Amino acid sequence: MKRQNKSNILLSLFAFLIFSSAVKSQDKFPDGTTIPKWFKENKPTDINKLGKKYIITENGMKNDSTILQTKQLQNIIDEASKNGGIIIVPKGTFLISSIFFKQGTHLHLESGAKLKGSDDINDYPVVITRMEGQTVKYFPAMINADGLDGFTISGKGELNGNGLRFWKSFWKRREWNPKCTNMDEMRPRIIYVSNSKNVQIEDITVKNSPFWSTHYYKSQFVKLLNLTILAPKEPVKAPSTDAVDIDACSNFLIKNCYMSVNDDAIALKGGKGPKADSDPNNGENRNVLIEDNTFGFCHSVLTCGSESIHNYNVILRNSKVKDASRLLHLKMRPDTPQHYEYLTVDNIKGNVKTFIYVKGWNQFFDLKGEARPKKGLANNITIKNIDLSCETAFSIEKSDLFDLKDFTFENLKIKALKPEMENLNNIQNLKQTKVNVMKVPSLTQSYDKKDDSDIAAK
């Protein structure tokens, strides 16, 4: 009996140790809460389980890239919505403007398939939509999904915004009027998903957007998997072509994607203005996981702002970056109440122009006759396991308009032409462990002396 009791005690102790080890090794968000299994359960879309297949060339559309076929495609979506179904785009190029998916409908782009956006703004309607932290009348995207549960886009094909004409018009307008806003030059996005849940977009290529490439508003449980999102910086810069804009969303995964655009790769939005935090159209971003991605040129790999009020539990990790202007950019907007907290950047390798960039963001500043909001705050920011070369390491501004506190830097290996370590004094309660910033006389990579991301900050 004693031996049995002893064996039971040992087994119980062993089980406890195994359980304790499992608990300790659980993947956690920055605030210490466990990352749900949903973020790990990533399965390819099975189009055979999505209902009837509607091949567009068998339902009234022609394989002809010269004729606008928006109405024909919308008719197919409307028909598919009656009982649920998936819209199949076969190999070929099909010209459209804005289409609107409905509950139970999905989009699949076969290899070699291309939906191409019209470059005539007159082909797009004016609707109530979300743009730059406002709910306003503006132009919808090419692909729109509002109020849907379970919407998917899949396949190896391409959504092409055909943005060249819009880009040229924007820069000509900016040349004529340097104060013109991003929205003054009328232009659509490529994907806009709003008020939706259980969304998965995978494998496709999204390129040449006239404006933001993909935009997600007030949606939850969104997965972006294995995407390629592209917009050029030359010979014509594609202005404000953010790869992913996350706007008042929760439970959001970006995994195994490649992004190279002439603006921010991933931007956290949510609202702007002195009373933005009390406007029901606005909201926070919470529980965002960005992992296993590769970033080419972009203004910033991860940006908080410029239209953003609260970002909570955000992780950027296990990724490579080449030629970005910034790794992390905290846009501190003095006309908007802002709080960025529990943000972790972990295990990033490559090169950037500036490692961390934290400054006031005054573009299109407008208090709208209201009192200035309370100080902005960024706190509980952890950056660890970094191996980067850069031009400037710490471009961090001291300001009476915002506070930076409770930062942790751990295991940083940085080569920089300009370390600017003195700027770390602008962070309250900074903890540093194994921070190695080496000043170097030169870098193998050169950067634009002044790109349009620098201009926009003024």
Side-chain angles (χ1 to χ4, degrees):
M1 180 65 82
K2 290 182 178 179
R3 286 184 178 179
Q4 187 176 359
N5 288 339
K6 188 175 181 180
S7 297
N8 289 337
I9 291 171
L10 289 173
L11 285 171
S12 298
L13 180 60
F14 179 72
F16 174 77
L17 291 172
I18 293 294
F19 175 77
S20 298
S21 177
V23 169
K24 288 180 180 178
S25 64
Q26 281 181 333
D27 211 1
K28 297 182 182 298
F29 278 116
D31 72 348
T33 56
T34 300
I35 295 177
K37 289 183 180 179
W38 176 87
F39 285 90
K40 304 295 182 182
E41 296 170 344
N42 302 317
K43 297 179 180 179
T45 298
D46 185 349
I47 64 172
N48 296 313
K49 295 181 178 179
L50 297 178
K52 182 179 177 180
K53 296 178 181 178
Y54 291 81
I55 301 172
I56 63 172
T57 49
E58 296 178 5
N59 288 272
M61 290 185 69
K62 298 178 180 179
N63 193 340
D64 187 337
S65 64
T66 66
I67 57 174
L68 189 68
Q69 299 187 78
T70 308
K71 291 182 179 179
Q72 293 88 331
L73 183 51
Q74 189 64 56
N75 287 340
I76 298 170
I77 294 170
D78 293 347
E79 179 63 27
S81 70
K82 293 176 181 178
N83 296 299
I86 183 164
I87 312 305
I88 307 289
V89 183
K91 183 178 180 180
T93 301
F94 304 87
L95 187 67
I96 62 169
S97 57
S98 293
I99 57 174
F100 300 84
F101 280 83
K102 299 182 176 181
Q103 182 60 40
T105 61
H106 308 265
L107 176 62
H108 182 80
L109 301 158
E110 294 184 342
S111 181
K114 181 190 296 185
L115 288 180
K116 185 177 181 180
S118 168
D119 64 359
D120 185 347
I121 196 62
N122 294 297
D123 292 331
Y124 297 83
V126 175
V127 299
I128 298 296
T129 188
R130 178 77 171 181
M131 200 67 230
E132 291 198 335
Q134 308 166 82
T135 300
V136 292
K137 280 187 175 181
Y138 200 66
F139 300 93
M142 282 175 54
I143 308 298
N144 300 271
D146 181 63
L148 306 189
D149 184 354
F151 177 64
T152 67
I153 303 177
S154 58
K156 300 294 184 181
E158 179 180 305
L159 296 175
N160 191 312
N162 193 23
L164 181 61
R165 182 178 177 183
F166 293 102
W167 306 334
K168 288 182 175 180
S169 295
F170 175 86
W171 292 118
K172 183 58 67 175
R173 182 183 290 265
R174 182 61 64 85
E175 181 183 343
W176 167 66
N177 176 17
K179 294 184 179 181
C180 79
T181 71
N182 294 325
M183 292 174 62
D184 285 343
E185 183 56 42
M186 302 178 291
R187 47 197 176 132
R189 294 151 287 176
I190 292 182
I191 295 175
Y192 177 57
V193 176
S194 54
N195 304 300
S196 297
K197 61 183 178 180
N198 300 313
V199 174
Q200 182 159 307
I201 302 176
E202 65 190 83
D203 293 335
I204 65 167
T205 295
V206 179
K207 65 186 298 186
N208 296 339
S209 184
F211 210 162
W212 292 355
S213 298
T214 75
H215 179 195
Y216 308 87
Y217 171 60
K218 283 203 170 181
S219 295
Q220 56 183 323
F221 298 104
V222 179
K223 290 182 177 180
L224 310 184
L225 308 174
N226 311 308
L227 299 180
T228 300
I229 305 178
L230 306 170
K233 67 169 183 174
E234 55 187 6
V236 178
K237 290 179 177 179
S240 11
T241 46
D242 300 0
V244 180
D245 284 293
I246 304 173
D247 188 353
C249 294
S250 63
N251 296 306
F252 205 108
L253 174 66
I254 305 174
K255 187 178 179 71
N256 290 329
C257 296
Y258 176 77
M259 291 168 251
S260 181
V261 295
N262 191 61
D263 209 317
D264 298 325
I266 300 165
L268 303 177
K269 305 291 188 178
K272 66 179 178 181
K275 293 186 176 180
D277 54 347
S278 60
D279 185 339
N281 291 311
N282 300 327
E284 68 171 8
N285 296 300
R286 179 176 288 255
N287 296 352
V288 178
L289 177 58
I290 306 158
E291 64 178 1
D292 305 321
N293 300 291
T294 302
F295 300 91
F297 174 79
C298 54
H299 287 184
S300 184
V301 171
L302 176 61
T303 292
C304 290
S306 55
E307 312 92 32
S308 192
I309 52 178
H310 189 206
N311 299 318
Y312 184 98
N313 265 355
V314 180
I315 299 175
L316 165 66
R317 69 183 182 189
N318 304 338
S319 296
K320 296 179 181 178
V321 57
K322 182 179 180 182
D323 303 343
S325 287
R326 295 151 188 159
L327 177 63
L328 175 64
H329 188 179
L330 304 183
K331 294 181 177 179
M332 309 306 294
R333 187 178 181 121
D335 63 355
T336 299
Q338 294 180 312
H339 190 186
Y340 308 149
E341 59 177 333
Y342 293 107
L343 189 156
T344 294
V345 179
D346 180 14
N347 190 25
I348 308 295
K349 296 181 180 180
N351 70 79
V352 294
K353 183 177 181 181
T354 303
F355 173 41
I356 303 175
Y357 193 95
V358 186
K359 292 189 177 182
W361 183 263
N362 296 313
Q363 188 185 35
F364 314 130
F365 175 88
D366 186 3
L367 284 172
K368 301 179 180 180
E370 301 285 346
R372 188 184 296 275
K374 64 181 181 181
K375 274 188 175 184
L377 173 63
N379 67 293
N380 291 356
I381 311 295
T382 298
I383 302 176
K384 60 184 180 179
N385 304 319
I386 305 296
D387 188 353
L388 285 175
S389 63
C390 60
E391 196 172 86
T392 304
F394 302 105
S395 187
I396 300 172
E397 179 181 69
K398 183 177 182 179
S399 174
D400 294 333
L401 301 175
F402 58 84
D403 287 326
L404 310 173
K405 64 181 181 180
D406 301 325
F407 280 45
T408 299
F409 294 162
E410 179 181 337
N411 193 26
L412 306 188
K413 184 180 178 182
I414 299 170
K415 295 179 181 178
L417 289 177
K418 297 179 287 184
E420 298 192 359
M421 299 290 289
E422 65 278 6
N423 289 331
L424 295 181
N425 295 326
N426 299 328
I427 301 173
Q428 305 169 40
N429 191 26
L430 170 62
K431 298 177 182 178
Q432 300 186 68
T433 304
K434 295 183 180 179
V435 174
N436 181 6
V437 181
M438 181 186 302
K439 184 175 182 178
V440 294
S442 63
L443 298 171
T444 56
Q445 173 65 32
S446 61
Y447 302 92
D448 293 342
K449 289 186 177 179
K450 201 167 193 178
D451 60 36
D452 49 310
S453 62
D454 295 319
I455 296 170
K458 294 183 177 180

